[in-house]
Amino acid sequence: MLSIFGSIVVIEALILIPSVIRRQQELLQGLALQSSASLKVAMVDVKTTDEVVFPEQLLAKLSRLEAIPIVVGGSLYDVRGNSIGSFGEAPTMTFTDFSDVEDVADSFVSNFNPRADRYEVAQTFPLVGIPHWVVINHDTTSVRREVRAFIWRIFGLVLLISAVVTLTTMVVLRAVLISPVLALNDDLLEAAPAALNEENATMYAFKSLRYRHKKDEIGAVIGAFQQMFERISTNIAQRQQAEDRLRESENRFRTLVEQAAESIFVLDEHAKILDINRFALNSLNYERAELIHHNLFEVNPAFTPQDYDVLWRRLQAGNPVTVESIHRRKDGSTYPVEVRANFMVMTGKQQALALVRDISDRKQAEKAQARLAEIGQLAAMIVHEVRNPFTTVYMALSTFQTMDLPPRGKMRLSLAMEESERLKRLLNEILTYSKEQKLVEERIEINDLSKELLRSLQELPAATDKTIQLITQPEPLIVKGDRDKLKQVFINLVTNACEAISPKETVTWQLQRAFGEHVFQPPTSLQSNSTQHVKIQVHNGGDPIPPEVLPKLTQPFISTKADGNGLGLAITKRIVEAHGGSMTIGSSVEKGTTVTVFLPLVIGDPVLEQSR
């Protein structure tokens, strides 16, 4: 407000300065006119005749002007510039100051000296018909007082006008400009924190909004500010939401990576480790800081820079790479790994993502499998080599049965025949286990196959005085498999169950439909978890299987029976897995022993679809 007031005062002062100067000139001219009139009065009796008038007489006439308060002196010059004389306070002007005036008649020359309060006026005046120069020295004290009074009046007027204009301007500007601008200024200061508050950013009530309907530039600016704020706050809110989603996704991805049961490496084109998950660190016995930005070759001694260059080029071409290699732990020990690498671009940088799996168990399993294959081949060769002489021996023993032998000989022959039968079964089972399971597939309805087998199973010696309870389903349960091999599975399971219980006890043989989420899928199974299965359970309440034996029960030559060879369940499991199914065994004192077999049902069978 003071700045506005001061500005108006300065402007008014600049405007009124010419008025002060003009007033001063008017007052000085008034002095000159007054002295000029007095001069005429003083010289009125000087006649314009041919009489001689001495200069001293003219000067004496002129000195009468001193009676006028405003006149303090004067001087007289003839037309040639000769000084006739002066009176009172002589003027400082001389003839040389006005001699260059061309038009002598009615000439007027002045000199104002404000410091000395003197105003000198030189003018021509006809005396006795001859022009003379009269210089009158005036006292300007009254002029100075009048000018000062005028200045004070003007100054008061300027102050009054400035105050009125300032107050009017402030009232008008505050309503029209200042209040909207101040409100907009406050809103601009609050806009940044308000925009960052995503909860109510778009609903924030700014002070300047009440002026947005003004039909002027201020209203347009406030409206533009509101639109800009809404856009910025919307963009910030969207960006914050995107950042939150990205952060959540990164955290979720980081959690998944850290919780992954495989080692994960992120590498650059120079094989430098950019990131690594916790599982990899635990596998290698390193801390993160010990591997980040270090070279891959420190943990993979089997890989060379040349190998990595070839791998990187293949990845850049869009070809995922799977290789087997060796990783070295911090203590120097090594273990085999399978590396699956793929190419990716993150934050504009080309990187390789490598999933590393410890395949020590698989390598051991492969060695064991190879050893078992060798043993199987050896067993098959031995069986073939043994069967030929055994067949001859068996035929000879069979011939002895037709002969009339003494009781002691018959007893020994009977024992030899029993052992021969047992050896024959063992050789056949070894041969069966060593062979690859080749299936002669056909559509088989499990309900019907089980009912067909039930009559034969009830006549077995192992089922004497025991009950076999078969629970079937009213709907068809159709599988695709080898009828003879599935019969062998059911016969083995039911026979084993009957041998495990005492007389008068019951073996339960139950069939039911099961969905994929209830089915244990072995790693070799190609069946989807959404596939429907038939669930076959054979339960007996006999003595439980020892916990230490239970996991090994389906391995060759592992048996809980004194006369068992341990190949029955091993063969059964291989047949089930060859059909794309699975087999589990559970045993406890409270529940007894249950063998569960899952076989995939045929999908899309017309009878099956109709039964649904």
Side-chain angles (χ1 to χ4, degrees):
M1 180 174 179
L2 291 177
S3 60
I4 297 176
F5 178 77
S7 300
I8 296 176
V9 169
V10 171
I11 293 172
E12 292 290 338
L14 292 175
I15 293 174
L16 294 176
I17 284 175
S19 300
V20 175
I21 296 174
R22 187 167 55 253
R23 178 58 178 166
Q24 180 177 274
Q25 292 296 329
E26 290 175 354
L27 293 173
L28 293 175
Q29 289 177 4
L31 292 178
L33 291 174
Q34 185 177 355
S35 62
S36 178
S38 299
L39 177 62
K40 290 179 181 180
V41 172
M43 295 299 180
V44 69
D45 57 347
V46 180
K47 298 180 181 180
T48 58
T49 64
D50 294 334
E51 294 180 3
V52 177
V53 180
F54 294 100
E56 291 79 1
Q57 295 176 331
L58 291 176
L59 188 60
K61 295 281 188 183
L62 189 61
S63 62
R64 298 176 182 175
L65 294 178
E66 282 187 288
I68 302 173
I70 61 173
V71 177
V72 296
S75 60
L76 181 64
Y77 295 90
D78 62 15
V79 74
R80 295 182 182 86
N82 297 318
S83 175
I84 297 175
S86 60
F87 63 91
E89 183 180 332
T92 59
M93 290 180 64
T94 63
F95 184 76
T96 58
D97 295 326
F98 45 81
S99 61
D100 56 349
V101 177
E102 296 178 359
D103 187 8
V104 177
D106 298 328
S107 296
F108 184 87
V109 179
S110 63
N111 177 34
F112 178 52
N113 185 1
R115 292 184 179 179
D117 286 336
R118 295 292 182 263
Y119 179 58
E120 301 173 352
V121 177
Q123 57 182 332
T124 59
F125 197 81
L127 299 174
V128 293
I130 301 173
H132 286 72
W133 282 97
V134 178
V135 182
I136 299 176
N137 192 4
H138 301 83
D139 183 5
T140 60
T141 302
S142 61
V143 173
R144 175 167 51 80
R145 288 196 298 267
E146 180 62 27
V147 169
R148 286 181 179 178
F150 182 77
I151 290 174
W152 280 110
R153 290 195 299 271
I154 293 298
F155 181 71
L157 183 61
V158 167
L159 291 179
L160 180 61
I161 294 174
S162 300
V164 172
V165 171
T166 300
L167 291 175
T168 305
T169 303
M170 289 301 297
V171 171
V172 175
L173 287 181
R174 178 170 293 277
V176 176
L177 181 63
I178 296 177
S179 294
V181 170
L182 291 177
L184 184 59
N185 178 72
D186 294 340
D187 292 346
L188 288 173
L189 295 176
E190 296 178 4
L196 296 175
N197 186 1
E198 57 180 314
E199 294 182 358
N200 58 352
T202 57
M203 304 296 294
Y204 195 84
F206 288 108
K207 299 176 182 178
S208 61
L209 292 183
R210 60 178 178 270
Y211 302 105
R212 68 180 182 275
H213 300 300
K214 292 173 61 66
K215 302 299 183 181
D216 56 10
E217 290 78 2
I218 294 296
V221 170
I222 293 175
F225 163 72
Q226 178 65 14
Q227 294 179 3
M228 178 190 69
F229 175 78
E230 291 178 355
R231 292 177 183 175
I232 292 176
S233 59
T234 300
N235 291 337
I236 290 177
Q238 292 175 351
R239 186 182 65 183
Q240 287 178 339
Q241 292 174 0
E243 291 176 352
D244 291 341
R245 289 194 296 268
L246 179 60
R247 193 177 299 108
E248 181 182 355
S249 177
E250 289 177 350
N251 292 336
R252 185 165 57 250
F253 177 74
R254 169 60 63 182
T255 301
L256 291 176
V257 169
E258 290 297 328
Q259 298 299 325
E262 291 187 359
S263 299
I264 299 178
F265 292 78
V266 179
L267 310 169
D268 66 2
E269 59 181 330
H270 303 296
K272 186 178 293 183
I273 300 174
L274 303 179
D275 202 358
I276 186 172
N277 71 336
R278 175 52 54 185
F279 189 88
L281 294 172
N282 293 338
S283 299
L284 296 168
N285 297 328
Y286 277 99
E287 295 297 330
R288 182 180 297 274
E290 294 177 310
L291 288 182
I292 291 296
H293 302 305
H294 285 247
N295 208 286
L296 174 67
F297 310 125
E298 296 181 19
V299 297
N300 194 329
F303 233 51
T304 64
Q306 293 76 19
D307 296 333
Y308 190 80
D309 289 341
V310 174
L311 182 143
W312 184 262
R313 287 194 294 270
R314 290 180 59 186
L315 294 178
Q316 280 186 315
N319 301 318
V321 177
T322 301
V323 296
E324 291 187 2
S325 187
I326 298 294
H327 270 193
R328 180 171 57 198
R329 299 184 181 91
K330 187 176 181 179
D331 59 5
S333 61
T334 61
Y335 60 95
V337 294
E338 180 186 72
V339 181
R340 290 173 292 166
N342 212 333
F343 188 76
M344 65 179 183
V345 178
M346 291 187 65
T347 63
K349 298 179 181 179
Q350 297 180 344
Q351 298 174 353
L353 177 66
L355 304 181
V356 181
R357 175 179 295 177
D358 185 347
I359 56 174
S360 300
D361 294 340
R362 189 173 77 187
K363 288 297 184 181
Q364 293 177 359
E366 289 176 355
K367 291 180 180 179
Q369 190 70 24
R371 184 170 176 272
L372 286 176
E374 294 176 356
I375 293 175
Q377 293 177 358
L378 178 62
M381 293 175 58
I382 293 174
V383 168
H384 282 292
E385 293 297 326
V386 170
R387 286 182 73 177
N388 291 330
F390 171 74
T391 301
T392 303
V393 172
Y394 187 79
M395 291 176 61
L397 291 175
S398 299
T399 303
F400 285 141
Q401 285 183 323
T402 62
M403 299 175 62
D404 187 15
L405 298 175
R408 187 178 181 86
K410 289 182 179 181
M411 182 183 65
R412 291 181 176 178
L413 178 60
S414 176
L415 180 60
M417 287 299 295
E418 290 178 2
E419 292 299 319
S420 297
E421 290 290 342
R422 191 172 68 85
L423 180 59
K424 181 180 178 182
R425 290 195 302 272
L426 177 61
L427 292 176
N428 288 335
E429 289 179 355
I430 292 175
L431 190 61
T432 301
Y433 183 79
S434 63
K435 288 181 179 179
E436 182 182 356
Q437 297 294 330
K438 295 182 179 180
L439 306 180
V440 181
E441 293 185 334
E442 59 178 301
R443 291 178 179 269
I444 304 170
E445 210 289 313
I446 297 299
N447 287 313
D448 295 341
L449 179 63
S450 301
K451 293 175 183 177
E452 176 185 338
L453 283 175
L454 180 61
R455 291 187 292 270
S456 301
L457 289 171
Q458 288 174 335
E459 297 176 357
L460 291 176
T464 303
D465 295 332
K466 300 168 186 177
T467 303
I468 302 175
Q469 182 183 7
L470 176 62
I471 303 174
T472 59
Q473 295 295 314
E475 60 183 25
L477 300 173
I478 300 177
V479 300
K480 190 174 183 180
D482 189 309
R483 179 177 293 271
D484 291 336
K485 292 188 180 298
L486 289 180
K487 284 183 178 181
Q488 184 178 353
V489 169
F490 297 156
I491 291 172
N492 284 343
L493 296 180
V494 175
T495 301
N496 287 343
C498 290
E499 292 175 348
I501 62 175
S502 302
K504 307 300 181 179
E505 293 185 0
T506 301
V507 171
T508 304
W509 179 9
Q510 184 177 8
L511 311 177
Q512 59 184 12
R513 182 190 298 273
F515 294 92
E517 61 268 19
H518 303 294
V519 180
F520 167 76
Q521 295 289 342
T524 57
S525 175
L526 300 179
Q527 301 298 328
S528 170
N529 280 341
S530 61
T531 304
Q532 295 189 41
H533 291 72
V534 55
K535 180 180 180 181
I536 304 155
Q537 286 187 313
V538 179
H539 171 266
N540 72 83
D543 295 335
I545 301 172
E548 64 275 8
V549 178
L550 188 60
K552 306 175 183 179
L553 202 54
T554 56
Q555 295 179 9
F557 308 110
I558 302 295
S559 176
T560 58
K561 295 183 290 185
D563 57 346
N565 52 44
L567 289 173
L569 287 177
I571 295 173
T572 300
K573 183 178 180 182
R574 290 194 63 185
I575 294 174
V576 170
E577 291 179 351
H579 283 78
S582 63
M583 186 179 80
T584 60
I585 303 175
S587 182
S588 65
V589 177
E590 298 80 9
K591 297 182 179 180
T593 301
T594 303
V595 180
T596 303
V597 173
F598 290 98
L599 295 175
L601 288 172
V602 175
I603 303 299
D605 186 81
V607 179
L608 180 61
E609 294 296 332
Q610 183 177 3
S611 67
R612 293 181 186 175

